[in-house]
Amino acid sequence: MLASSSFHGRPYSHFAHSTTSRDNKPPISSYFPLTKPHSIPSVCAFLLSRRITSNRFKIRALNRESNGDSVAEKEAIPFFPHRHSVKIPVGDRHIIVETGQIGRQASGSVIVRDGETILYTSVCLSDTPSEPSDFFPMSVNYQERFSAAGRTRQVLICRLIDRPLRPTMLKGFYHETQILSWVLSYDGLHPPDSLAVTAAGIAVALSEVPNTNTIAGVRIGLIDDKFVVNPTTMEMENSKLDLLLAGSESGILMIEGYCDFLPEEKLLQAIEIGHDAVRGICKEVDNLVKKCGKPKMLDSIKLPPPELYKHVEEIVGDELVKVLQLKSKIPRRKALSLLEEKVMCILTEEGYVSKSETSVGTEITPDMLEDEDEEEEFVVDGEFDEGDVHIKPVSKKPVPLFYAEVDVKLVFKSVTSKYLRKRIVEGGKRSDGRSSEEIRVIDSECGLLPRAHGSALFTRGETQSLAVVTLGDRQMAQRIDILAGVEDVKRFYLQYSFPPSCVGEVGRIGAPSRREIGHGTLAERALEPVLPSEEDFPYTIRVESTITESNGSSSMASVCGGCLALQDAGVPLKSPIAGIAMGLVLDTKEFGGDGTPLILSDITGSEDASGDMDFKVAGNDDGVTAFQMDIKVGGITLSTMKHALMQAKEGRKRILAEMLKCSPPPSKKLSKHAPLILVMKVKPEKVNLIIGSGGKKVKSIIEETGVDSIDTQDNGIVKITARDMASLEKSKAIISNLTMVPIVGDVYRNCKITSIVPYGAFVEIVPGREGLCHISELSPDWLSKPEDAFKVGDIVDVKLIEINEKGQLRLSRKALLPVPEGSTDGAATKESGSGSPQKYTERSKFRRMGDGTGEETSSGQRKDKSPAPEGMFIKRYVGSGSRKSEQKTSTTKPDTPAAASASNESGNTLVNGEAQVNG
């Protein structure tokens, strides 16, 4: 019911609700219309009866079809008093946002509609805060219900929702937060992913979760050189751009997309249009939040003590400066770990004493004051002391300060980030000594794995990808379920793995994480535009990128390594592709700069963690094929993004130049270990001849020839996959013969008689194709039965003399024999001896197939000159057609010739294991 368009498409205004006093009761039909064939449930009848006789029970009915008069007569008290709805223009249409009706016990919940695509998103948070950490405790779960039409890409969309929301969450809020998003209805036209980002942003804005800005998401397409906001799925089929953008009124928070070598200038235009659309949505949502948003839990925010930052800098500030100059990642990480341990010990175990405090000297403190009265001393005349209190000089004892362990960890990380950013901005050098635009040293090698179809090891600084390419047939294609309910088959896919050893750690190995799936998809989409078409290169292509070292931008290393591995496998790419990750230090004035944002090329892991942006861009010299941007601040401007894109373009050019220096270079030819694939084309109606009954024929061909698979398609495309050329050619010949179009007059030499029946012999003219040579066409002499002159296995030459309306072949041996002197019965033209097909002319007279009674005229024709009667045995052929086919892999033994069995009473017989039925 959830996915029913009739249910979801009904406006909520149809749910009218009313209450009436006991003395002025409306008729029962106003609660339950009796004109419709619905029965009142027993529980409802009970409650209704109680309502009539008692004031203790009241019922509010759903008057779905009340007319205008009845509504005007009664004062409607809404069943959902806090329900609000707003229509927001997006592109050339509207989205509808509704809250206050569904999920009212959640902290925030919304229903968002675009056409007949409907999403429900809720936000909940735990009652008690969890342990403080440097990572906001938020989880996102996105689900496309089967009731909506299926499911797809759930992990990727979870990331799309999470990434723009996280920078807007206030630090110090530790209540675990969960965002649940369901696609309840999908109309096939309005994609749910961008709608899910918007729905999550609205739900958070309405909830108690403290955040800085409302976010929204839109998709931008480029169709006929025109940018379209939130295009439909049909429009996206012709789009050169697929950009998903999320942001707030003040800035852009996330972009991800793919394009076909789009110039940076065009991409920036798309981003600008997308951000304008996001601003419009956010303004409308902010108005909705003012009406029905919940108060934010600002009092739950717990930040570390402000003085703790100063204390950490006093303890390890000088040492941090030295440690951050270490170029290698592992030594630097270990040194930072030791510093953190030192800070933790001082601030949480020993107690911290500030350097400004002194352990010597005198100071008046309350405990130093003594009251003389307490000692009951008597003062003798002339020995009076001035004052009633004696002051005793006592040394000051510093009071050690103790802090929570989690606060110290948070502050240490923040201080480390501050010192790293200060070194980059003020000192002009990064941890590894590079300038802001410098690329790390690159080394690449192809042909690393001799048995792989293609392989490459790409190393950039301390980031390394081992890419392996495997070529296969259609059976190796990746199959995924899509929301439309149609199986989607991918002939190219990239699988990315990030084992814990690549960062020198011990960890669990299991199913791919969201991060791995996201990085793999980004690299896959970056490489996809340079691949040849399936017609030019009929292989299924799989790239496996295993990250063997990681210190920043491993997904972009997968793009570079994957490109080289594809070239090594002999895949004819349109052009090489490279990827680079860009970083950002936004507020440079705080760190000794002039305030201008500083863009960093080819960032490392520490620059990603301590910086404000991770912007990955892949492409070639001409344009961009894929991009993804995450930020850790409240948003960046278009000018900053433009700066990053143009700097990334220069970086890509330098990386592509280094990839050309690959040693050894990619082979650029098909590996001897790769399978061979032959593509054939046959008439679509001949495909079933290749498959056979229950796939028996295709299995027999595979068994007989030793090919790996035969893949058939309904359009007549046939792909044969084999490990050697001999088996490939053998299967090609069989399929060609099965699907060939025979021509009357063709001559076939050295053909084997496969079976003998009372009315003639079946002759295999080519492998898999047989025809009937009637007893009257076997010999110029009269034969009482075929066995008198022939037996199974004999080799004869025959000529095709007729193809009936069922495609069955009639052959003649007699037509190729010399005509006896004085004979007028079935004269035939003499053979030329060249073996070329003989033309069948009107002068050639051949006997028609008899009915087994021998009733024929002197010319060999039936008296009634009619086609073969119903009682005649004629073979049903399982193959005739043109030349190429597509797949259905099988592994059974081929059909082997078998002796013909005697005909049964119904006129059926078995030949070669296949049913021969009467005509």
Side-chain angles (χ1 to χ4, degrees):
M1 183 182 75
L2 289 177
S4 170
S5 60
S6 62
F7 177 82
H8 293 293
R10 187 190 301 273
Y12 285 121
S13 59
H14 285 193
F15 291 84
H17 315 287
S18 62
T19 58
T20 312
S21 67
R22 186 172 180 270
D23 297 330
N24 186 22
K25 295 188 291 292
I28 294 177
S29 59
S30 67
Y31 290 95
F32 299 98
L34 301 181
T35 56
K36 290 199 168 187
H38 295 305
S39 61
I40 300 177
S42 58
V43 174
C44 291
F46 169 74
L47 291 176
L48 187 60
S49 64
R50 297 285 299 194
R51 183 179 187 275
I52 294 172
T53 59
S54 173
N55 287 326
R56 291 181 299 167
F57 290 87
K58 293 184 179 181
I59 183 170
R60 183 180 292 125
L62 302 182
N63 190 356
R64 297 174 184 249
E65 300 192 9
S66 58
N67 54 38
D69 296 336
S70 60
V71 172
E73 291 173 359
K74 293 177 284 188
E75 294 182 4
I77 299 177
F79 190 71
F80 302 105
H82 300 294
R83 176 175 165 265
H84 294 274
S85 178
V86 60
K87 183 182 288 187
I88 303 175
V90 181
D92 58 355
R93 59 182 187 273
H94 292 78
I95 64 172
I96 299 174
V97 179
E98 298 174 347
T99 186
Q101 183 178 25
I102 296 180
R104 291 171 294 164
Q105 295 186 37
S107 180
S109 64
V110 290
I111 290 285
V112 182
R113 301 164 177 258
D114 186 1
E116 292 184 350
T117 298
I118 302 174
L119 283 95
Y120 166 60
T121 301
S122 65
V123 176
C124 288
L125 59 160
S126 61
D127 294 333
T128 57
S130 55
E131 288 296 322
S133 70
D134 61 346
F135 192 74
F136 184 78
M138 179 177 70
S139 62
V140 177
N141 189 8
Y142 169 88
Q143 186 178 29
E144 292 172 349
R145 293 282 180 91
F146 277 111
S147 59
R151 65 184 179 195
T152 182
R153 308 185 321 278
Q154 298 183 18
V155 168
L156 299 179
I157 298 178
C158 286
R159 285 171 55 83
L160 292 177
I161 296 171
D162 183 284
R163 281 157 40 200
L165 277 175
R166 197 166 288 278
T168 68
M169 301 300 183
L170 292 179
K171 293 181 179 179
F173 186 74
Y174 300 120
H175 290 259
E176 186 175 352
T177 304
Q178 185 179 48
I179 299 173
L180 302 178
S181 183
W182 293 275
V183 179
L184 301 183
S185 176
Y186 177 58
D187 59 9
L189 286 177
H190 306 96
D193 48 3
S194 60
L195 204 62
V197 176
T198 299
I202 298 172
V204 170
L206 292 169
S207 74
E208 299 153 300
V209 178
N211 65 320
T212 56
N213 291 300
T214 300
I215 74 156
V218 295
R219 169 176 269 105
I220 305 295
L222 180 59
I223 303 158
D224 296 330
D225 206 32
K226 179 183 178 182
F227 293 109
V228 179
V229 179
N230 278 4
T232 64
T233 53
M234 294 180 64
E235 290 173 323
M236 282 301 297
E237 292 177 0
N238 302 315
S239 178
K240 295 181 180 179
L241 169 69
D242 184 1
L243 163 65
L244 200 146
L245 181 145
S248 64
E249 277 197 77
S250 58
I252 302 164
L253 289 161
M254 183 273 293
I255 62 170
E256 180 167 321
Y258 315 98
C259 45
D260 192 4
F261 301 106
L262 200 66
E264 281 78 1
E265 294 78 12
K266 276 280 189 183
L267 182 55
L268 286 167
Q269 292 179 31
I271 293 171
E272 184 175 10
I273 290 172
H275 193 209
D276 288 342
V278 164
R279 283 196 189 102
I281 298 174
C282 291
K283 288 179 181 178
E284 295 291 340
V285 173
D286 287 340
N287 293 331
L288 179 65
V289 171
K290 291 177 183 178
K291 295 179 182 178
C292 51
K294 295 182 178 179
K296 299 298 182 180
M297 296 175 59
L298 297 176
D299 55 345
S300 297
I301 294 176
K302 296 180 181 180
L303 296 172
E307 71 275 8
L308 186 55
Y309 293 85
K310 181 181 178 182
H311 298 338
V312 172
E313 290 185 26
E314 287 181 354
I315 296 170
V316 292
D318 295 337
E319 294 174 90
L320 264 178
V321 173
K322 297 177 182 178
V323 168
L324 291 176
Q325 295 178 22
L326 297 175
K327 294 184 178 182
S328 298
K329 174 185 174 180
I330 300 299
R332 184 171 63 250
R333 187 181 70 188
K334 290 181 178 179
L336 286 172
S337 180
L338 291 174
L339 287 183
E340 184 182 31
E341 186 177 344
K342 176 182 177 180
V343 171
M344 291 288 295
C345 181
I346 294 174
L347 292 174
T348 65
E349 297 178 12
E350 299 176 1
Y352 174 70
V353 178
S354 175
K355 292 180 180 179
S356 61
E357 296 183 15
T358 177
S359 60
V360 294
T362 29
E363 184 176 332
I364 299 176
T365 60
D367 59 340
M368 297 179 189
L369 302 178
E370 295 185 16
D371 193 340
E372 292 293 332
D373 293 339
E374 294 178 359
E375 297 183 4
E376 298 182 353
E377 291 186 358
F378 295 95
V379 179
V380 181
D381 290 343
E383 297 180 1
F384 179 74
D385 280 337
E386 295 181 359
D388 296 329
V389 177
H390 293 286
I391 299 177
K392 300 178 181 179
V394 179
S395 298
K396 177 186 175 182
K397 295 180 180 179
V399 179
L401 302 174
F402 294 90
Y403 295 93
E405 182 177 326
V406 65
D407 287 341
V408 176
K409 286 187 175 182
L410 290 172
V411 171
F412 179 80
K413 181 178 179 180
S414 177
V415 170
T416 302
S417 175
K418 174 184 174 182
Y419 274 65
L420 178 64
R421 293 153 73 96
K422 186 174 182 179
R423 170 177 166 78
I424 295 172
V425 175
E426 190 176 37
K429 292 292 183 181
R430 295 148 79 173
S431 292
D432 53 10
R434 290 181 293 146
S435 64
S436 61
E437 298 186 15
E438 196 172 346
I439 308 297
R440 289 175 288 178
V441 177
I442 292 174
D443 179 79
S444 50
E445 176 184 352
C446 283
L448 189 70
L449 308 177
R451 298 290 298 185
H453 301 161
S455 61
L457 183 68
F458 179 83
T459 307
R460 179 167 57 202
E462 294 177 301
T463 299
Q464 188 178 74
S465 166
L466 175 60
V468 180
V469 171
T470 305
L471 305 177
D473 58 13
R474 189 178 176 86
Q475 292 300 303
M476 200 181 77
Q478 188 179 55
R479 288 167 172 80
I480 57 175
D481 291 331
I482 61 175
L483 197 61
V486 180
E487 184 183 48
D488 189 16
V489 178
K490 294 171 63 176
R491 64 176 287 259
F492 168 69
Y493 53 100
L494 188 147
Q495 296 172 325
Y496 167 101
S497 62
F498 192 90
S501 60
C502 70
V503 289
E505 296 178 353
V506 176
R508 176 179 172 273
I509 296 292
S513 65
R514 289 184 177 182
R515 178 184 178 277
E516 288 176 300
I517 294 173
H519 279 28
T521 301
L522 178 65
E524 175 186 303
R525 297 291 296 270
L527 291 168
E528 200 167 20
V530 300
L531 295 176
S533 65
E534 189 172 5
E535 289 73 22
D536 296 333
F537 195 75
Y539 289 90
T540 293
I541 306 166
R542 181 179 66 202
V543 180
E544 298 171 80
S545 175
T546 302
I547 304 304
T548 49
E549 291 183 31
S550 178
N551 187 14
S553 63
S554 57
S555 62
M556 296 296 96
S558 298
V559 172
C560 301
C563 177
L564 292 172
L566 288 167
Q567 292 177 317
D568 190 53
V571 181
L573 301 182
K574 298 173 185 177
S575 72
I577 291 290
I580 188 171
M582 311 299 292
L584 170 69
V585 179
L586 194 59
D587 189 5
T588 57
K589 198 168 186 179
E590 181 184 348
F591 308 105
D594 58 1
T596 305
L598 178 63
I599 306 295
L600 306 176
S601 296
D602 184 25
I603 58 173
T604 62
S606 60
E607 291 164 345
D608 180 10
S610 299
D612 297 323
M613 178 181 74
D614 180 10
F615 190 7
K616 303 178 180 73
V617 188
N620 62 3
D621 293 345
D622 299 326
V624 176
T625 59
F627 50 89
Q628 183 186 88
M629 185 197 74
D630 301 323
I631 65 170
K632 301 177 180 66
V633 291
I636 63 173
T637 62
L638 196 66
S639 61
T640 302
M641 189 169 292
K642 179 179 180 180
H643 185 183
L645 275 172
M646 302 315 294
Q647 190 167 317
K649 183 176 182 179
E650 294 303 316
R652 286 200 317 273
K653 289 181 179 179
R654 291 197 288 271
I655 295 170
L656 286 168
E658 292 296 323
M659 289 169 62
L660 292 175
K661 302 175 184 178
C662 179
S663 178
S667 66
K668 296 187 178 181
K669 64 180 181 180
L670 203 64
S671 167
K672 63 181 180 180
H673 302 297
L676 303 173
I677 295 182
L678 174 69
V679 181
M680 304 174 65
K681 174 69 177 176
V682 304
K683 290 185 177 180
E685 61 269 19
K686 304 293 184 181
V687 170
N688 286 337
L689 300 176
I690 304 170
I691 299 171
S693 177
K696 289 181 179 179
K697 193 61 186 179
V698 71
K699 292 177 182 178
S700 70
I701 298 173
I702 292 172
E703 290 277 339
E704 181 181 348
T705 61
V707 298
D708 290 343
S709 66
I710 299 174
D711 182 36
T712 61
Q713 294 178 355
D714 293 339
N715 61 1
I717 296 294
V718 180
K719 292 181 183 178
I720 309 171
T721 305
R723 294 289 169 180
D724 59 86
M725 186 60 70
S727 60
L728 194 71
E729 290 294 340
K730 188 176 180 181
S731 62
K732 173 187 173 184
I734 294 175
I735 292 174
S736 297
N737 293 330
L738 275 175
T739 59
M740 73 173 186
V741 180
I743 301 174
V744 172
D746 286 352
V747 174
Y748 302 93
R749 307 285 182 182
N750 302 317
C751 301
K752 182 191 295 185
I753 295 177
T754 59
S755 62
I756 294 178
V757 291
Y759 49 84
F762 283 101
V763 181
E764 188 178 47
I765 57 175
V766 294
R769 283 304 287 279
E770 294 180 348
L772 175 66
C773 188
H774 192 261
I775 189 171
S776 61
E777 298 293 342
L778 283 171
S779 171
D781 301 324
W782 183 84
L783 294 174
S784 62
K785 53 184 179 179
E787 293 92 334
D788 292 344
F790 302 95
K791 65 181 182 298
V792 173
D794 284 351
I795 303 301
V796 294
D797 296 340
V798 291
K799 182 177 183 178
L800 178 62
I801 59 175
E802 185 183 356
I803 305 173
N804 68 11
E805 66 277 3
K806 295 182 179 181
Q808 298 163 333
L809 310 181
R810 293 187 62 240
L811 306 172
S812 174
R813 175 178 175 270
K814 186 175 70 173
L816 299 177
L817 299 175
V819 180
E821 289 295 332
S823 172
T824 61
D825 187 14
T829 57
K830 291 188 178 182
E831 295 178 46
S832 63
S834 64
S836 59
Q838 302 292 315
K839 295 292 183 181
Y840 176 68
T841 65
E842 291 295 331
R843 295 192 303 273
S844 301
K845 297 179 180 179
F846 301 102
R847 296 179 183 177
R848 295 284 178 183
M849 184 181 296
D851 59 2
T853 63
E855 282 189 73
E856 300 169 350
T857 62
S858 59
S859 64
Q861 295 183 354
R862 293 182 54 80
K863 293 179 181 179
D864 57 1
K865 298 183 182 181
S866 62
E870 289 295 322
M872 185 146 324
F873 297 132
I874 299 176
K875 182 177 181 181
R876 174 187 294 160
Y877 293 95
V878 188
S880 76
S882 100
R883 298 189 48 160
K884 297 182 179 180
S885 348
E886 210 183 326
Q887 142 114 41
K888 275 181 182 177
T889 313
S890 17
T891 52
T892 61
K893 291 288 184 185
D895 299 333
T896 55
S901 65
S903 60
N904 56 25
E905 294 182 17
S906 64
N908 296 337
T909 186
L910 288 176
V911 180
N912 289 354
E914 298 174 350
Q916 312 302 315
V917 299
N918 54 359

